[in-house]
Amino acid sequence: MSETRAINFGAGPSALPQSVLEEAARGLLNFAGTGIGIAEISHRSKEFAAFLAEVEELIREQLNVPSTHTILFTQGGGTAQFSAIVLNLLARHRLLHPDLKDEERIMDYVITGTWSKNAAQEAGRLGGAKINIAADARVTSSDGKSFDNIPPHDAYKFSQSPALIYYCENETVNGVQFSHDQQAPESFPFHLLPKDALLPLVADYSSSFMSRPIPRLADHAVIYAGAQKNVGPAGLTIIIVRKDCIVDVDAAAKLGAAPVPIGLAYKSFAEQKSMPNTPPVFSLYVSGLVLRRSKALGGVSYYEAVNQRKKDKVYAVLGDGEKLGLLKGYVKRGSGSWMNIVFEVLGEGTEARFLAGAEAKGMKSLKGHRSVGGIRVSLYNAITEEQTDQLVAYIRHFLAEETVTSNS
């Protein structure tokens, strides 16, 4: 392509590999040699059915998804899953424990940022069970109200037999993430969970999906992710759900559970191979191209190594800026995200100068979320190490210029 492309550090919809975009452009005109574009072809065609099966296999292979789990493709993003998870897992709990009253059913939520907080609020709105906040990162924050940390293990209090246990692995807005080093105090405390062979453990992996391996994937009941971070365009939600959580929601409703809309019932998607209605065909297509490329590069192990180098470089220059009194990270050491690094540029007018200078160099979408402010650097898989180096070089140059200005 002759046009110069910007470096998109946006938090989502986010960057996609240029080679994938070029291939997708060809597919818009002619998908799989059919002479029909991907945005036009029937989702019931044999060519698309074969492609959809390949997308599922690419995820299963690269994440080592066991046969105990089904992979579903839906729409509605994480927000729809806030509701779907509650409704499906409460239906499961009703079938397992039909005689319990609603006030005796419990849903555990670990709140570490904006998205897990929103998920817990939706669960409370839907009702059907009590909400237990198993841990709240605001309690262990620097000021008692911010999401700047992953709580230490002694801060968790899980219920004995909850209908679900929910956490968000990476908080896109706040820039905190659970460590995947199980020895680290910032890791998810799997060892504290109820001793149940089939734990109702749910994880939002939207902004870290396919960026590194998922610890103890097989122990999860549901893992879900919006595609628009590391995998593809907005419009697709990927769900990895354990088969015992795909229940007859109508049978549960007869026992008193809330009716589950067909568009949110996992059973309807599982029985119809993710096509109870027309799926997000184009989003699935681009995601499949991304996953093919990921496999060719070495899968999540490859990205884990690259992403670690990328985040180490950005956190290093952030540390240098903090020593100079020009930058300030929002997150406690050890809790920082690999995917979304958030910080403040100190001094009057400095943030505007920082963003303008980055924009002039073709680095875009660095402004922080409206609820947090500051700067947010999103280092998703499609951001290369070379592009990360360009950002780091720019930050170092900016720090040098600001130091000279302040000393003159």
Side-chain angles (χ1 to χ4, degrees):
M1 298 177 71
S2 58
E3 301 90 349
T4 299
R5 281 178 53 79
I7 305 175
N8 177 14
F9 289 104
S14 53
L16 287 165
Q18 182 166 319
S19 61
V20 166
L21 292 173
E22 291 170 349
E23 187 173 358
R26 293 190 290 271
L28 278 170
L29 294 173
N30 187 351
F31 168 65
T34 61
I36 302 175
I38 183 62
E40 309 165 283
I41 199 162
S42 169
H43 60 292
R44 303 292 182 188
S45 66
K46 67 180 189 302
E47 292 85 2
F48 184 76
F51 189 86
L52 185 62
E54 181 188 357
V55 176
E56 177 179 344
E57 184 55 32
L58 285 166
I59 295 170
R60 190 174 293 279
E61 179 182 351
Q62 292 179 61
L63 287 178
N64 294 316
V65 179
S67 59
T68 51
H69 288 62
T70 296
I71 299 174
L72 306 177
F73 302 105
T74 71
Q75 301 173 65
T79 302
Q81 289 310 302
F82 294 167
S83 308
I85 285 159
V86 170
L87 294 172
N88 282 275
L89 290 191
L90 280 181
R92 172 182 181 268
H93 201 256
R94 179 77 60 166
L95 291 169
L96 292 172
H97 307 285
D99 296 328
L100 284 181
K101 298 177 181 178
D102 284 356
E103 57 269 24
E104 296 174 313
R105 301 182 198 277
I106 299 175
M107 297 184 285
D108 281 2
Y109 278 78
V110 175
I111 299 181
T112 51
T114 297
W115 293 114
S116 51
K117 175 174 69 71
N118 289 351
Q121 288 174 343
E122 174 65 1
R125 190 183 74 83
L126 291 173
K130 291 172 59 177
I131 306 296
N132 171 53
I133 304 304
D136 189 331
R138 290 169 292 193
V139 175
T140 51
S141 68
S142 301
D143 59 7
K145 61 182 181 180
S146 301
F147 291 118
D148 66 0
N149 73 106
I150 295 294
H153 290 173
D154 61 7
Y156 292 81
K157 293 181 179 179
F158 293 108
S159 305
Q160 284 304 305
S161 184
L164 64 89
I165 305 163
Y166 185 103
Y167 73 100
C168 179
E169 196 268 348
N170 181 85
E171 290 281 3
T172 321
V173 171
N174 309 94
V176 298
Q177 184 174 21
F178 285 91
S179 173
H180 69 335
D181 175 1
Q182 292 302 289
Q183 305 307 311
E186 297 83 14
S187 64
F188 188 82
F190 292 100
H191 63 289
L192 297 179
L193 294 172
K195 305 305 179 186
D196 188 331
L198 291 174
L199 284 171
L201 183 62
V202 176
D204 174 357
Y205 261 81
S206 288
S207 50
S208 56
F209 194 68
M210 302 303 298
S211 69
R212 63 188 193 188
I214 296 178
R216 296 179 63 164
L217 184 152
D219 291 335
H220 289 74
V222 182
I223 291 170
Y224 74 89
Q228 69 275 10
K229 314 292 187 177
N230 284 307
V231 182
L236 169 66
T237 308
I238 300 165
I239 308 173
I240 302 172
V241 55
R242 200 173 60 221
K243 291 177 180 177
D244 67 282
C245 298
I246 301 171
V247 301
D248 187 337
V249 295
D250 293 334
K254 291 176 181 178
L255 295 174
V260 182
I262 192 169
L264 296 180
Y266 294 153
K267 190 171 186 284
S268 63
F269 282 85
E271 289 180 342
Q272 299 183 63
K273 298 183 178 180
S274 294
M275 292 193 290
N277 63 341
T278 306
V281 173
F282 184 70
S283 294
L284 274 162
Y285 176 57
V286 178
S287 297
L289 299 181
V290 170
L291 290 164
R292 280 180 181 172
R293 179 177 180 271
S294 173
K295 179 181 177 179
L297 289 171
V300 290
S301 296
Y302 165 82
Y303 277 116
E304 179 180 23
V306 173
N307 288 331
Q308 181 159 15
R309 294 196 299 270
K310 284 156 50 181
K311 67 92 177 173
D312 284 348
K313 291 176 180 181
V314 176
Y315 278 116
V317 74
L318 172 57
D320 292 343
E322 288 181 321
K323 291 174 185 176
L324 292 170
L326 296 171
L327 304 178
K328 182 182 178 183
Y330 284 156
V331 178
K332 290 182 181 180
R333 187 178 301 276
S335 297
S337 170
W338 287 32
M339 297 282 97
N340 313 102
I341 300 175
V342 294
F343 59 91
E344 181 181 2
V345 185
L346 302 175
E348 187 173 349
T350 51
E351 180 182 303
R353 288 196 297 275
F354 178 91
L355 291 170
E359 183 89 14
K361 292 184 176 296
M363 302 176 191
K364 299 192 176 187
S365 302
L366 285 164
K367 189 172 180 60
H369 190 272
R370 61 189 178 277
S371 66
V372 176
I375 306 298
R376 175 169 53 175
V377 179
S378 293
L379 299 174
Y380 298 129
N381 287 356
I383 294 294
T384 66
E385 194 166 0
E386 179 184 6
Q387 291 171 329
T388 305
D389 289 340
Q390 291 178 50
L391 174 66
V392 169
Y394 165 68
I395 297 175
R396 292 199 182 283
H397 177 73
F398 177 83
L399 294 175
E401 283 197 330
E402 290 296 314
T403 301
V404 170
T405 300
S406 63
N407 291 334
S408 62

